[in-house]
Amino acid sequence: MLEVLKRLQPHAEAEAERERWLRARRPERECDRALTGTARQWLRRLPPRRRPLRLCMAYPRVANRMAWCWSDLDLSRQVLEDLLQDRRGGRRGFAPAIVRELQRLREFNDQQRMELHDETLFQAFRRVVGLP
């Protein structure tokens, strides 16, 4: 009997953790199960090699969130960091292929923002010459 209880305990703990997570998360909405028009448009605007297609298929809710945040530099950077780093502990995380997509998206986001950043002629000269 003790052996049976020992085998059931990890399952019960995992189920309790899942229940805590479901209570903390907002209720799922219909738009969480498919890409929104905003997300589809955002996806089309990305270069083909940067499009997180696996993420969109497996986690449309996350892709929708990224699309909504993309126009804000700080917010999009924060969302990507939150997805790539486990700050709460105990997360299962994404599959390796999806992690690679998120990393490529983060690199593109950073590069894109640097290219769009206005800089003075003096700042551009210092950057090209290599001055601090």
Side-chain angles (χ1 to χ4, degrees):
M1 179 72 165
L2 186 58
E3 187 66 34
V4 171
L5 289 175
K6 284 182 182 178
R7 277 189 269 153
L8 291 177
Q9 186 177 7
H11 177 69
E13 289 173 2
E15 188 61 30
E17 180 62 30
R18 182 178 179 281
E19 288 297 320
R20 278 192 297 273
W21 171 245
L22 289 174
R23 282 192 306 272
R25 188 177 186 190
R26 74 167 168 75
E28 188 176 82
R29 298 181 296 201
E30 188 65 34
C31 65
D32 293 337
R33 295 186 205 116
L35 291 179
T36 61
T38 302
R40 288 192 303 267
Q41 188 176 25
W42 166 73
L43 204 56
R44 283 191 299 268
R45 288 182 179 163
L46 290 172
R49 299 191 81 139
R50 302 293 182 150
R51 294 177 184 159
L53 300 177
R54 288 184 178 98
L55 175 75
C56 291
M57 291 187 314
Y59 303 100
R61 177 181 180 150
V62 175
N64 291 339
R65 182 176 171 210
M66 279 302 315
W68 278 104
C69 299
W70 193 254
S71 61
D72 184 307
L73 168 64
D74 294 328
L75 188 55
S76 60
R77 186 177 288 150
Q78 183 62 50
V79 168
L80 283 164
E81 287 304 313
D82 287 346
L83 292 172
L84 289 166
Q85 293 181 5
D86 180 10
R87 291 192 174 99
R88 294 183 302 193
R91 276 182 159 172
R92 282 187 315 182
F94 295 107
I98 293 176
V99 169
R100 285 190 298 274
E101 285 183 341
L102 289 169
Q103 289 168 337
R104 283 194 302 266
L105 198 57
R106 179 178 58 188
E107 290 168 6
F108 175 71
N109 190 34
D110 290 343
Q111 289 170 357
Q112 171 184 297
R113 307 305 180 157
M114 287 173 65
E115 292 170 5
L116 294 176
H117 178 67
D118 292 333
E119 62 184 356
T120 65
L121 181 60
F122 182 68
Q123 289 170 329
F125 177 77
R126 289 177 62 178
R127 180 178 47 78
V128 170
V129 174
L131 296 174

